[in-house]
Amino acid sequence: MPLKRTLAVTIFLCAGAAYAHGDVHNEAVKQRMGVMSDIAAQMKVLGSMAKGATPFDAAAAAQALHILSDHAARVPHLFQHPEMDPKSEAHPAIWENWDDFTAKADLLQVAADKAMVETPADLAQTVAGLGAACKACHADYRISKN
């Protein structure tokens, strides 16, 4: 798949959680959705630079990666209890396959921690890796609310 299409799909997959979070009543679910929305926002920052829509900024990329790592580290704690809400996109398989779910959250954290973004070329590879981590988890553990 061409790099631009890969980046667009990556941003779409990670940013999808940022929508349709209104009217959530369960506080634990609200917190999870907030973290996922923040992750999506950081992916958007990185993806926009990778696509050339915004100028490359190594410091902004490093900050986005730091936030991504921090939020990915919080995911297991936020999902520890099977809290649900009609607006939740969390699949019950999360709690049935807890070790796999947390391992996939760890993949995002590791990808963000290991990323060295000094050039736009570094960023494109980094976004692809981060997107793959998002997709791996979303494919199994996110309910699409189209």
Side-chain angles (χ1 to χ4, degrees), residues 4 11 44-56:
K4 285 187 179 184
I11 291 167
K44 188 173 181 179
V45 167
L46 296 170
S48 181
M49 282 190 272
K51 291 188 306 186
T54 58
F56 175 73

Side-chain angles (χ1 to χ4, degrees), residues 14-141:
C14 290
Y19 301 105
H21 293 171
D23 300 323
V24 175
H25 301 288
N26 183 302
E27 286 301 317
V29 173
K30 278 185 188 181
Q31 287 180 1
R32 291 190 319 225
M33 289 176 147
V35 167
M36 292 298 167
S37 292
D38 287 347
I39 288 172
Q42 301 315 309
M43 287 298 295
K44 188 173 181 179
V45 167
L46 296 170
S48 181
M49 282 190 272
K51 291 188 306 186
T54 58
F56 175 73
D57 180 338
Q63 178 66 20
L65 290 166
H66 174 75
I67 293 169
L68 279 169
S69 174
D70 177 64
H71 285 0
R74 295 176 58 201
V75 167
H77 174 73
L78 291 169
F79 284 86
Q80 187 172 4
H81 303 288
E83 301 278 349
M84 294 303 288
D85 186 279
K87 295 280 187 170
S88 177
E89 296 173 343
H91 196 288
I94 290 169
W95 299 282
E96 296 165 8
N97 304 302
W98 183 251
D99 290 342
D100 183 61
F101 174 76
T102 58
K104 288 178 178 176
D106 290 345
L107 289 176
L108 179 59
Q109 183 182 7
V110 168
D113 286 344
K114 287 187 175 183
M116 297 296 292
V117 178
E118 297 173 359
T119 69
D122 297 336
L123 185 59
Q125 292 175 0
T126 295
V127 169
L130 292 168
C134 290
K135 182 179 178 183
C137 196
H138 286 188
D140 293 333
Y141 301 116

